[in-house]
Amino acid sequence: MQYIFSKNQSYEHLAAGHVIYGLSGSPNFPIRLAHEVYNRCLSHQKQQHGVSIYDPCCGTGYLLTTIGLLNHKSIAKIWGSDINVKFTEVAQKNLGLLGTQGLDKREEELVLLATQYQKNSHIRALESLDHIREMIADLDHPIDFQVFHRDILSPITSPGPSFTANIIITDVPYLQLVDWNGAGGINTLLNNIRVNIDTESIIAVVHDKRQKIANEFYERIERFKVGKRVIEIFRLRS
Ligand SMILES: C[S@@+](CC[C@H](N)C(=O)[O-])C[C@H]1O[C@@H](n2cnc3c(N)ncnc32)[C@H](O)[C@@H]1O
């Protein structure tokens, strides 16, 4: 696969566990690939500014946070949901880093840690935080976000708030990193997210080759592989 939109550059300031919070048991998505997938989706989307994006398996929100930081000029609203409440709590803090208040709070924490433990990793994280501040210094609109608990395989037990997203990007359970909680997998997810999309919405699903997508409501626009990951991009069938 050839990268079209993402440069081969260092994304070290956005590494998980540095400024962006990590959590053991939650896999971290490659940043360059996240940037590429978002921009490929955007290239198929009519709406180029004020975009709303949703991840129904958002985990700690690492994927959404890195996409938000790198693409803040086009994004106005981020929605994230997951079945695991421990993950959504972290996602809430991570998406807060897309604004001054969240960054100020994270800076206070890192200064305290640096003072207490005198570790280089905390000093380097503070440098990364300055870099992130610069990245979003030109943000003329705060990126609004909402994180909520939702079992995406069960629309009845956790329907979630009502909204329509321009772009959905989701990195479903795969590669034995984390398991699906519930039955039906990607095809059920695609059925259940139909309440959150319209005919213009673009949907990217990242999975492994063992999971096959066959959903009558969607037409595939792109499919590519990066290592063991398969990325498929869809829109609703007209
Ligand atoms: C590969 S991880 C996603 C990691 C995420 N992209 C991030 O940046 O942290 C897959 C996620 O799917 C979630 N998941 C599993 N079953 C689910 C379900 N039925 N409904 C919603 N989320 C589910 C897991 O809790 C896990 O966070």
Side-chain angles (χ1 to χ4, degrees):
M1 186 285 272
Q2 286 243 325
Y3 281 88
I4 304 168
F5 297 100
S6 269
K7 284 191 208 142
N8 187 7
Q9 63 182 58
S10 166
Y11 295 97
E12 61 174 330
H13 298 299
L14 305 183
H18 215 193
V19 177
I20 303 181
Y21 298 90
L23 193 67
S24 78
S26 175
N28 297 313
F29 199 81
I31 302 172
R32 187 180 182 200
L33 180 57
H35 188 48
E36 178 74 17
V37 174
Y38 171 74
N39 281 284
R40 284 192 186 212
C41 289
L42 192 63
S43 72
H44 297 295
Q45 168 60 242
K46 272 194 188 154
Q47 183 146 342
Q48 292 290 301
H49 300 283
V51 169
S52 59
I53 165 168
Y54 174 43
D55 179 355
C57 291
C58 75
T60 59
Y62 185 67
L63 173 71
L64 285 174
T65 305
T66 53
I67 287 175
L69 288 170
L70 291 166
N71 301 280
H72 58 275
K73 286 187 181 154
S74 59
I75 297 175
K77 174 89 190 189
I78 295 180
W79 305 87
S81 65
D82 199 280
I83 197 166
N84 185 328
V85 178
K86 268 195 198 152
F87 289 170
T88 52
E89 281 168 6
V90 180
Q92 183 76 26
K93 291 203 285 182
N94 274 335
L95 288 166
L97 299 171
L98 293 164
T100 316
Q101 261 190 321
L103 285 174
D104 289 348
K105 195 160 173 259
R106 185 63 173 138
E107 185 168 5
E108 275 173 32
E109 286 172 5
L110 289 170
V111 168
L112 198 65
L113 288 168
T115 317
Q116 266 178 340
Y117 300 106
Q118 310 279 322
K119 278 192 181 171
N120 273 342
S121 58
H122 297 133
I123 309 288
R124 282 203 308 276
L126 280 164
E127 286 165 10
S128 292
L129 194 134
D130 285 341
H131 182 86
I132 292 175
R133 273 195 203 283
E134 276 170 35
M135 278 174 77
I136 59 167
D138 58 347
L139 198 63
D140 51 11
H141 57 278
I143 298 183
D144 191 15
F145 68 89
Q146 187 174 346
V147 179
F148 55 99
H149 172 257
R150 179 181 187 187
D151 174 0
I152 199 58
L153 301 182
S154 168
I156 298 153
T157 53
S158 51
S162 158
F163 63 93
T164 301
N166 303 118
I167 292 177
I168 292 192
I169 299 182
T170 193
D171 166 33
V172 302
Y174 59 100
L175 302 178
Q176 282 134 21
L177 294 174
V178 57
D179 272 338
W180 274 113
N181 194 328
I186 301 172
N187 289 302
T188 302
L189 175 146
L190 287 172
N191 285 339
N192 292 343
I193 58 164
R194 282 189 296 142
V195 293
N196 303 112
I197 56 176
D198 60 22
T199 51
E200 308 289 344
S201 302
I202 303 296
I203 300 96
V205 183
V206 182
H207 59 93
D208 62 354
K209 65 176 185 201
R210 289 172 313 158
Q211 302 187 63
K212 305 284 180 223
I213 303 185
N215 191 301
E216 57 179 321
F217 298 109
Y218 293 85
E219 64 174 322
R220 192 167 71 201
I221 314 170
E222 284 196 51
R223 184 182 193 276
F224 56 98
K225 275 181 75 177
V226 177
K228 289 185 174 167
R229 292 182 166 90
V230 179
I231 298 96
E232 298 195 62
I233 302 183
F234 301 93
R235 62 161 61 95
L236 279 174
R237 202 176 283 284
S238 47

